[in-house]
């Protein structure tokens, strides 16, 4: 018999363990080579685990188990032949066993009935309910029982609320159930990183606002021609990415990180773009964004966003990054203080666009305005650099034709 031991492959550098998020097959199923058999969560991404060979699978780990890279998680019997008609055969026993399982239940059901009235008087909790009420510090007299003869069941005790000051648990109405689920390893890692950033950096946030009028005009005027030529839409993110890369080159300390007692400056701009996916917030990276055209930025962002949504993003595609852009405006956020993505030293937060009255050349006009926020690590970035950087981003957004497109909007957009 040829048995293949499937071990957890390394998802990427520095990752030593993963969590079995979901088994896509059942124990004893026949699997085909390269068929996805499980989804595993690392601290950076959710990845699919494909079958290395065809055969009958035996699972050696449960959903939710944290396993080490290189650990055996399943066995595949490669000598086993693919069963024919397996589905109907599997269903037949269930239909035959159902009546058998029901018969003992019917026979046993009447047994407790005679003793129930004697064991539980009206308003008396069952032993399990009494234990729960005692733990909550709730008097049984304050709880209405839904069981036979008004006795208090376990579910009644679980739903009973602890009385507020001078209040009563009887004032609560409607369902009051709770659900407890274990955080995925990805969510736990994100939580750890966010807390460590708050505790280990001197994080400050500076704000400004940008006028989106010119970008609205450019998108309206060239969106169809741009899409026909480049195969992607002309979005807001390409303008912000180009504005950020220009500002990073003007203020190199923003494009830096701290390593112990040393500062590391990068002569390239790897821009992390925050993308919301089914498993949480992912930050895929645009490598050397300073050399990308508008169409290249849009195409790469679209490709990475699709991979995040489909769970196909790799750890390598999210590793690194020298600066992050996050867009809370897609969810309606007006203003926020984004948290730095370590080991980076700064992050730019975009927000929703609202038509607001603003003063232009002494006149009040209505313009599409957006608040922008830049959080930064004050240990490495001074106030002068942070404010100057955000002003440089504002310049690029307020006047994209001159600042970002070199004065020729058609040529700058690659048209």
């Amino acid at each position: 018999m040829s048995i293949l031991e499937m071990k957890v492959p390394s998802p990427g550098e520095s990752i030593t363990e993963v969590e079995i998020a979901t088994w896509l097959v059942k124990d004893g199923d026949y699997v085909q080579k390269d068929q996805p058999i499980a989804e595993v969560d690392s601290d950076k991404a959710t990845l699919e685990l494909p079958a290395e060979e065809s055969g009958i699978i035996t699972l050696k780990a449960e959903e939710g188990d944290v396993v080490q890279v290189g650990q055996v998680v399943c066995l595949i019997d490669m000598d086993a032949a693919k069963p024919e008609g397996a589905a109907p055969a599997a269903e037949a026993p269930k239909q035959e066993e159902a009546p058998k399982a029901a018969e003992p239940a019917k026979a046993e059901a009447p047994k407790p009935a005679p003793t129930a009235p004697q064991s539980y008087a009206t308003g008396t909790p069952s032993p399990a309910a009494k234990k729960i009420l005692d733990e909550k510090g709730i008097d049984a007299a304050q709880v209405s029982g839904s069981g036979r003869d008004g006795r208090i069941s376990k579910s009644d005790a679980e739903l009973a609320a602890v009385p507020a000051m001078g209040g009563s648990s009887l004032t609560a109405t409607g369902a009051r159930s709770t659900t407890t689920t274990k955080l995925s390893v990805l969510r736990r890692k994100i939580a750890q990183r966010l807390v460590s950033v708050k505790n280990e950096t001197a994080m400050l946030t500076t704000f400004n606002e940008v006028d989106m009028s010119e970008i609205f005009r450019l998108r309206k005027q060239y969106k169809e021609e741009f899409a026909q030529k480049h195969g992607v839409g002309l979005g807001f993110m390409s303008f912000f990415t180009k504005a950020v890369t220009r500002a990073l080159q003007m203020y190199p300390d923003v494009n830096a990180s701290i390593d112990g007692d040393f500062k590391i400056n990068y002569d390239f701009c790897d821009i992390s773009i925050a993308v919301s996916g089914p498993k949480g917030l992912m930050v895929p990276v645009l490598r050397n964004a300073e050399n990308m055209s508008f169409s290249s930025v849009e195409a790469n962002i679209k490709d990475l966003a699709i991979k995040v949504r489909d769970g196909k993003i790799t750890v390598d595609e999210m590793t690194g990054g020298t600066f992050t852009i996050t867009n809370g405006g897609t969810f309606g956020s007006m203003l926020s203080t984004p948290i730095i993505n370590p080991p980076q030293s700064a992050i730019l937060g975009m927000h929703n666009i609202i038509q607001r009255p603003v003063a232009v050349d002494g006149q009040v006009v209505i313009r599409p305005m957006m608040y922008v926020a830049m959080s930064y690590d004050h240990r490495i970035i001074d106030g002068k650099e942070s404010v100057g950087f955000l002003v440089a981003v504002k310049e690029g957004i307020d006047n994209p034709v001159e600042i970002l497109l070199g004065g020729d909007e058609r040529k700058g957009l690659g048209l």
Side-chain angles (χ1 to χ4, degrees):
M1 180 181 293
S2 299
I3 301 294
L4 171 69
E5 293 184 338
M6 270 200 59
K7 300 178 180 179
V8 178
S10 175
E13 187 179 355
S14 78
I15 296 178
T16 59
E17 62 182 22
V18 298
E19 181 178 297
I20 304 296
T22 307
W23 281 111
L24 305 177
V25 296
K26 294 179 292 185
D27 195 61
D29 281 357
Y30 185 89
V31 297
Q32 299 281 0
K33 183 179 181 181
D34 296 328
Q35 172 188 343
I37 59 173
E39 289 183 350
V40 296
D41 285 342
S42 74
D43 59 7
K44 295 183 179 179
T46 296
L47 308 169
E48 284 187 346
L49 187 66
E52 296 176 6
E53 294 292 343
S54 300
I56 298 292
I57 192 168
T58 302
L59 307 184
K60 292 295 184 182
E62 301 289 338
E63 290 185 358
D65 284 357
V66 176
V67 294
Q68 300 296 312
V69 170
Q71 182 176 331
V72 175
V73 290
C74 64
L75 305 176
I76 298 179
D77 181 359
M78 297 183 291
D79 293 337
K82 182 178 181 181
E84 296 182 3
E91 293 173 2
K94 294 181 181 178
Q95 296 173 353
E96 294 175 4
E97 291 170 6
K100 294 179 182 178
E103 288 173 9
K106 290 179 180 177
E108 294 171 7
K111 291 181 181 179
T115 59
Q118 299 174 7
S119 302
Y120 303 105
T122 300
T124 301
S126 69
K130 185 176 186 305
K131 181 180 179 182
I132 294 172
L133 292 176
D134 289 343
E135 290 174 350
K136 288 185 174 184
I138 299 175
D139 187 347
Q142 296 178 320
V143 181
S144 178
S146 62
R148 173 175 290 190
D149 298 327
R151 67 179 180 268
I152 300 170
S153 66
K154 180 181 177 181
S155 60
D156 294 329
E158 289 174 338
L159 295 176
V162 178
M165 292 293 292
S168 169
S169 61
L170 298 179
T171 59
T173 59
R176 297 176 61 80
S177 61
T178 61
T179 303
T180 301
T181 55
K182 184 179 180 181
L183 293 175
S184 68
V185 66
L186 175 61
R187 177 57 62 184
R188 296 199 301 270
K189 185 63 176 180
I190 290 174
Q192 293 170 3
R193 286 165 65 89
L194 293 179
V195 172
S196 68
V197 170
K198 297 288 285 185
N199 292 338
E200 298 172 10
T201 65
M203 194 176 79
L204 293 178
T205 305
T206 184
F207 304 92
N208 214 315
E209 62 179 357
V210 295
D211 186 343
M212 301 292 289
S213 299
E214 273 296 283
I215 292 179
F216 270 42
R217 179 189 68 80
L218 291 168
R219 293 182 71 230
K220 181 179 180 180
Q221 183 172 345
Y222 297 111
K223 64 179 181 180
E224 293 183 3
E225 187 178 355
F226 188 90
Q228 289 176 355
K229 180 165 184 179
H230 300 296
V232 289
L234 179 59
F236 297 125
M237 195 59 76
S238 55
F239 288 95
F240 276 89
T241 300
K242 299 301 288 184
V244 162
T245 56
R246 168 181 174 268
L248 288 174
Q249 291 169 332
M250 295 171 62
Y251 296 91
D253 277 351
V254 179
N255 198 40
S257 63
I258 289 181
D259 183 8
D261 293 333
F262 297 90
K263 179 180 70 172
I264 303 173
N265 283 88
Y266 306 99
D267 60 1
F268 52 88
C269 300
D270 284 356
I271 307 300
S272 303
I273 306 292
V275 178
S276 180
K279 296 289 184 176
L281 197 67
M282 307 288 185
V283 279
V285 181
L286 298 179
R287 311 286 181 189
N288 289 105
E290 75 278 9
N291 297 328
M292 289 184 178
S293 63
F294 276 76
S295 59
S296 180
V297 170
E298 293 290 354
N300 277 276
I301 290 176
K302 180 181 178 181
D303 179 58
L304 292 170
I306 290 173
K307 288 183 178 180
V308 168
R309 275 198 306 269
D310 295 344
K312 305 293 186 183
I313 195 76
T314 67
V315 172
D316 288 342
E317 288 171 318
M318 294 191 295
T319 300
T322 62
F323 186 92
T324 295
I325 302 175
T326 181
N327 185 6
T330 57
F331 306 107
S333 171
M334 183 186 76
L335 194 62
S336 68
T337 55
I339 297 180
I340 299 167
N341 180 21
Q344 299 171 20
S345 296
I347 180 173
L348 178 73
M350 300 165 55
H351 300 92
N352 61 355
I353 303 167
I354 297 178
Q355 297 283 339
R356 294 206 311 269
V358 295
V360 178
D361 296 329
Q363 300 293 321
V364 176
V365 296
I366 304 299
R367 294 287 179 88
M369 305 298 293
M370 175 196 288
Y371 289 122
V372 288
M374 175 193 167
S375 294
Y376 61 98
D377 189 346
H378 208 348
R379 295 178 303 165
I380 192 173
I381 302 170
D382 291 332
K384 178 182 177 182
E385 280 70 29
S386 64
V387 173
F389 175 90
L390 200 55
V391 168
V393 171
K394 174 180 171 61
E395 291 172 349
I397 301 302
D398 286 352
N399 188 10
V401 175
E402 295 299 324
I403 303 297
L404 305 180
L405 301 175
D408 187 335
E409 54 196 54
R410 290 188 57 83
K411 183 179 179 180
L413 293 173
L415 302 175

